[in-house]
Amino acid sequence: MATERESAVGGCTMLRIPEVIQKKRDGGELSQQELEALVLGGLRGEVPDYQVAAWLMAVYFRGMTPRETVTLTTILQHSGEQVHLPPLGKPTLDKHSTGGVGDKTSLVVVPLLAACGVAVPKMSGRGLGFTGGTVDKLESIPGFRTDFSAVEMAHLVQQVGACLVGQSPELVPADKYLYALRDVTATVDCIPLIASSVMSKKLAGGAEHLLLDVKVGSGAFMTHLPDALELARTLVQIGEMAGRRTLALVTDMSQPLGEAVGNALEVAEAIAVLQRRAGAASARFEVLCIELAAHALLLAGLETDLYQARLRVRKRLEEGAAWQTFRQLVQAQGGDVRTVDDPSLLPQARVRLPICIPQTGYIHAVDARGVGLLAVRLGAGRARKEDAIDHAVGIRILRHVGDHVEPDLPVAEVHAQDDTLAAEVAAELQECFLVGEGAPRFQPLVYAVVPESNQFGG
Ligand code: URA
């Protein structure tokens, strides 16, 4: 049984925590004071984890009202330090993806936007489950630092026009606390909890404009379009209510994005796009980078027409301006520029095993979640939070949905440190490909823009 100290917290009016949990359990709306008592009380150790966990499960089943979701976001946002950017004379924008397999768009979009005149203070996370994380990818560049304070982050943005940093421990500690509890109580995939978690970090990051890439498909948290749309609308609503111009693109994650899945492999693919030498397997990845950057220019008010925005973004990419900004960013954050100039100097796996499929036809599906899980098995991601990762290993997807295949044409390549594991993964990777006789239906890359793009003139 809970002790009196465990049960009652909160300023002058003592709140009884079991009654607060009961209110949510019965579908009620919690007040700011009640949410603070639970979340901040839990963070400070005044409310035991089992009571916070019970509330999380009640939220999972009962949901939250829009007002509760915004209130929770604000509580999380203000639980630690906030980034205050100095006046930069240009719009500031942060970009966030809800996570996917092979999603290395930030590595291209951030320098690309900086090259287009948008300041991008980008805060990223580590890999989560089968989805990769930008911080892990960047750490495959020898020397690259992501642990900057809020003040250092502001300096980097002044110096380079952008930064790619990790979340400092002082920022949004209540989200870290809550996320760890969600992770072990099966309450991660809950729209109001995801939305408040994502937006608290974005709001604390200090950018005026927020661009969100909400992934949908087997390789994303949201596997169904209606859920992804609801998440996108919730994220945008929170951003707008907090006074930040916010736009979300709902994009496909039913097959891995581009060619590479795995940290150094993804950095090398992003460099190939920035250096204008990427192959056909990277085409969807490159198009998505251009779409995201073009919408960001509309959002930041630097363009009023989506067509013109695309042209501007393409031009900066083709001129090499985005590549030069990426190099500067790597240098400013302590990375060894020689390894990005020559990606063969990035960590390399010992074994490379091509895989073929003994069929002739067209690829109808490549299971993104299956590929993500196999990459984790190779060591590219973590099974437990404290696990180390191997930056060199991963999978290259050489053929995508709609591509023709023949028995002796490799569809993928496994990069591993060990022959036995490589062979096991290769056998399972074959099962991730679905081949049929006729060409499959076209698979959209961008399903929706929330709110609709013409609100921003596109
Ligand atoms: N990413 C986050 O930052 N939080 C979530 O809850 C899910 C994905």
Side-chain angles (χ1 to χ4, degrees), residues 68-103:
E68 265 183 307
T69 311
V70 170
T71 305
L72 175 61
T73 309
T74 312
I75 293 169
L76 298 176
Q77 177 195 346
H78 292 99
S79 65
E81 226 176 63
Q82 315 263 325
V83 178
H84 297 287
L85 294 164
L88 295 164
K90 48 183 161 180
T92 56
L93 181 143
D94 195 357
K95 177 243 164 218
H96 182 83
S97 158
T98 56
V101 177
D103 182 7

Side-chain angles (χ1 to χ4, degrees), residues 90-207:
K90 48 183 161 180
T92 56
L93 181 143
D94 195 357
K95 177 243 164 218
H96 182 83
S97 158
T98 56
V101 177
D103 182 7
K104 68 291 284 178
T105 49
S106 293
L107 303 182
V108 172
V109 172
V110 169
L112 182 52
L113 284 175
C116 290
V118 182
V120 196
K122 169 84 182 94
M123 241 183 315
S124 299
R126 294 193 181 275
L128 222 53
F130 57 86
T131 67
T134 304
V135 167
D136 291 331
K137 294 171 208 208
L138 287 165
E139 283 178 354
S140 52
I141 301 172
F144 196 96
R145 277 185 54 210
T146 55
D147 56 335
F148 291 92
S149 69
V151 173
E152 289 172 322
M153 188 176 160
H155 281 145
L156 283 171
V157 177
Q158 256 177 324
Q159 186 192 341
V160 182
C163 66
L164 281 161
V165 301
Q167 193 190 322
S168 85
E170 293 77 29
L171 219 88
V172 201
D175 174 61
K176 277 196 206 81
Y177 162 72
L178 223 50
Y179 195 91
L181 264 187
R182 288 167 58 204
D183 205 20
V184 291
T185 55
T187 51
V188 169
D189 53 339
C190 168
I191 288 174
L193 296 178
I194 295 176
S196 52
S197 163
V198 167
M199 292 306 284
S200 62
K201 289 174 280 207
K202 296 294 109 182
L203 296 176

